Amino acid sequence: METGWKDSVKKAGWPVLSYSVISLLAVVLAVVRLVVRGEDSDVKVTWWELLQLFFVPALFFAAGYLATAKCGLKKIKAQTAFLAAMIFSALLLGLWYVWLDGYVLCNLPAAECGIAIDLWLRKRMIAYGYEYTYLANTDMYRYAVLPLLHFAVRVLCWMCYLWGNRKAVSRRKSK
């Protein structure tokens, strides 16, 4: 019975630890982005934001791979990973509407990963209230588009974690 409990803690502990480390790296990415971008108020997608679009999912892939390869985790079921990603993302989505400051702290990896898409969407012109305005100036963007973008990016990142797990398991079986 005790080994089952230890396995459960190990299975849950590695994703939590991985997310914590990736969150710290996301803080570094955000600081570097602010240094690279400077005080420029013009919202343009630069090479740094495009790099982050691929770098953060690569971090999740590496975390899934390392957790499986180094710590002997078993193959994660796709349904389990997808359901856990959806529940985690739904909890953070709810946090968006309840406590925005807490959401920002918990959501750094998804925000840094999706910053290129976010910046691109902000400058889209739409007809809103009988006038043309930027999408970022609407309540629809703040309360629907941006939280759902982060939701999708979080699920994508956790699927990269699953992919890393699968690659490590297949490599272990081939040896």
Side-chain angles (χ1 to χ4, degrees):
M1 183 72 177
E2 223 174 280
T3 58
W5 182 80
K6 286 181 182 180
D7 285 343
S8 297
V9 169
K10 187 190 274 188
K11 281 183 182 179
W14 280 109
V16 170
L17 179 65
S18 300
Y19 194 78
S20 301
V21 170
I22 292 170
S23 292
L24 291 174
L25 290 172
V27 169
V28 172
L29 290 173
V31 169
V32 170
R33 180 174 46 85
L34 292 173
V35 169
V36 167
R37 181 176 283 281
E39 295 295 324
D40 188 16
S41 63
D42 190 23
V43 181
K44 291 181 183 173
V45 178
T46 64
W47 62 271
W48 183 254
E49 286 87 12
L50 291 174
L51 179 68
Q52 286 180 200
L53 185 64
F54 298 102
F55 184 66
V56 174
L59 286 175
F60 275 89
F61 176 84
Y65 187 88
L66 289 174
T68 305
K70 298 296 181 192
C71 302
L73 291 181
K74 296 177 183 169
K75 184 177 181 181
I76 301 172
K77 293 181 181 178
Q79 310 90 290
T80 305
F82 186 71
L83 183 62
M86 293 293 281
I87 290 171
F88 178 70
S89 293
L91 289 173
L92 281 181
L93 184 63
L95 192 60
W96 171 278
Y97 300 107
V98 177
W99 186 38
L100 190 58
D101 293 337
Y103 173 83
V104 169
L105 289 175
C106 296
N107 189 53
L108 283 171
E112 287 305 308
C113 180
I115 191 76
I117 301 167
D118 177 23
L119 292 175
W120 182 80
L121 284 172
R122 287 176 189 230
K123 285 298 188 177
R124 298 305 100 205
M125 294 290 288
I126 62 166
Y128 185 76
Y130 299 109
E131 63 183 26
Y132 283 102
T133 186
Y134 290 113
L135 182 60
N137 296 338
T138 65
D139 288 337
M140 175 180 63
Y141 185 74
R142 179 174 181 192
Y143 294 113
V145 174
L146 188 58
L148 291 175
L149 171 67
H150 289 168
F151 182 92
V153 167
R154 267 191 308 276
V155 171
L156 173 76
C157 286
W158 283 112
M159 292 301 102
C160 288
Y161 185 90
L162 173 68
W163 184 29
N165 170 267
R166 295 286 174 93
K167 284 291 187 186
V169 168
S170 67
R171 184 166 186 237
R172 186 177 5 179
K173 284 183 180 179
S174 69
K175 285 184 175 182

